Amino acid sequence: MISIIIPVLNEVDSIGRLLTHLIENSSSKNISEIIVVDGGSTDGTLDILRPIRFLKPDRSVDHHKTSNVLDTKFQKNNSTRTDVLDNAKRDPESSSGLENKSNILLINSPKGRAKQMNTGAKHAKGDILYFLHADSFPPKDFDQLIINEVQKGNQAGCFRMQFDSNHWWLRLASWLTQFSWRASRGGDQSQFITKTLFNDIGGYNENYIIYEDNILINELYARNEFTVINKKLITSARLYRKHGVWKLQYHFWTIYVKKWFGASADELLAYYKKYVC
């Protein structure tokens, strides 16, 4: 079964819609749990999850000594249903159907996507891990598509990607993701990997606050353990809209080249904070 792991930090505009999308486009028999790992959101992200019933923190797994697990159950007739309705009034697409889901976990973690994803992986019960950004929406039946690849012997991979933008460069970049070229990869395409392989690699490198997805992907390519599923995942171009397509693309290319020439994790982060944040 698959454990879906979603790191979040201030994702109030997308997390509810994503959870609903995952529920509506997968089969419960394939999903062990959906694990949302929060790095300290302050924008109302956690309010989207109000229709849940919080249980006692799970102390059996101690990660960074600050994490805790809140098992969640969405129930049709639960007294917290009013929270679903309140959220739906604010954003009709954000909460629809969530009250019916019974296997969503909310975990608190130190901030940092690598730390958050590793924490989620340590709590995961599924034998396949599926790491997903909060603004990326996988295709219909994504769960079965992933399972099919693993059954064929492909232990890791991603979907091809499409930005929610009509800009010609982003459409070209999206089109290129159907190929297996290393340069076409990125975390926005999502990442599935067997738990066995993930543990063998050692998980995400927590030294990298940015570029952590690429570090793992590099390791997978070095092992010849990567496949691209020829179905489109839709991801947000919000950062391109914020900074401008060419300006942001230049900075992403610069980070890629810097890493190619041996820049450290701290150097990449310093550049990102100066020009992108």
Side-chain angles (χ1 to χ4, degrees):
M1 296 182 73
I2 300 172
S3 292
I4 304 173
I5 300 169
I6 309 168
V8 298
L9 180 64
N10 296 331
E11 295 288 358
V12 68
D13 293 331
S14 61
I15 187 59
R17 290 186 293 113
L18 176 60
L19 292 176
T20 299
H21 177 88
L22 295 174
I23 293 166
E24 293 178 348
N25 289 276
S26 65
S27 172
S28 60
K29 68 182 177 64
N30 292 332
I31 306 299
S32 177
E33 71 265 307
I34 301 172
I35 303 175
V36 181
V37 190
D38 181 64
S41 295
T42 58
D43 68 338
T45 293
L46 301 184
D47 292 339
I48 298 297
L49 301 177
R50 280 179 180 173
I52 63 181
R53 181 180 63 178
F54 293 96
L55 302 182
K56 292 181 179 180
D58 182 354
R59 302 300 182 186
S60 64
V61 183
D62 185 10
H63 304 303
H64 307 288
K65 297 185 178 181
T66 60
S67 303
N68 61 72
V69 178
L70 301 174
D71 192 6
T72 68
K73 295 187 179 296
F74 297 97
Q75 301 180 6
K76 280 187 176 180
N77 299 318
N78 194 298
S79 61
T80 59
R81 182 172 167 78
T82 55
D83 292 315
V84 177
L85 299 178
D86 289 341
N87 285 330
K89 289 176 182 177
R90 183 176 65 246
D91 182 356
E93 295 183 309
S94 67
S95 306
S96 175
L98 292 185
E99 66 270 29
N100 300 322
K101 197 60 180 174
S102 62
N103 62 339
I104 298 179
L105 307 178
L106 173 64
I107 301 176
N108 297 328
S109 166
K111 182 173 67 174
R113 205 153 55 193
K115 293 178 181 179
Q116 290 170 241
M117 291 189 288
N118 282 344
T119 299
K122 290 172 184 176
H123 287 286
K125 297 177 181 177
D127 53 1
I128 303 171
L129 307 178
Y130 183 45
F131 298 98
L132 186 66
H133 290 185
D135 60 353
S136 294
F137 294 74
K140 182 175 177 57
D141 300 325
F142 66 90
D143 53 325
Q144 191 60 53
L145 292 168
I146 290 172
I147 290 172
N148 291 346
E149 291 300 323
V150 173
Q151 289 177 342
K152 289 190 290 187
N154 295 317
Q155 295 192 71
C158 69
F159 290 96
R160 60 181 297 188
M161 184 187 71
Q162 179 179 329
F163 283 108
D164 63 349
S165 169
N166 287 323
H167 190 284
W168 73 267
W169 172 256
L170 296 183
R171 285 191 286 118
L172 175 60
S174 298
W175 181 78
L176 291 171
T177 63
Q178 68 185 291
F179 302 108
S180 60
W181 305 328
R182 172 62 189 89
S184 296
R185 302 280 73 82
D188 286 336
Q189 294 168 254
S190 70
Q191 175 71 65
F192 77 84
I193 182 172
T194 63
K195 183 185 288 185
T196 299
L197 179 56
F198 184 80
N199 290 337
D200 185 50
I201 290 173
Y204 286 95
N205 187 334
E206 296 185 7
N207 292 323
Y208 286 84
I209 306 302
I210 66 163
Y211 210 79
E212 76 292 331
D213 294 302
N214 286 282
I215 297 299
L216 180 64
I217 292 170
N218 286 345
E219 181 62 32
L220 292 172
Y221 267 78
R223 295 174 179 231
N224 196 29
E225 287 284 1
F226 206 96
T227 190
V228 180
I229 301 175
N230 193 27
K231 294 291 183 179
K232 292 180 181 178
L233 169 149
I234 307 298
T235 195
S236 173
R238 58 183 176 177
L239 208 55
Y240 285 97
R241 286 190 281 266
K242 177 181 178 181
H243 294 284
V245 170
W246 298 116
K247 181 178 180 181
L248 184 63
Q249 192 62 64
Y250 169 79
H251 291 315
F252 282 166
W253 279 334
T254 299
I255 290 171
Y256 187 87
V257 171
K258 281 179 174 291
K259 182 63 180 68
W260 182 270
F261 283 99
S264 68
D266 290 339
E267 290 171 330
L268 297 182
L269 178 60
Y271 183 92
Y272 186 87
K273 284 184 173 179
K274 182 175 181 180
Y275 294 108
V276 180
C277 283

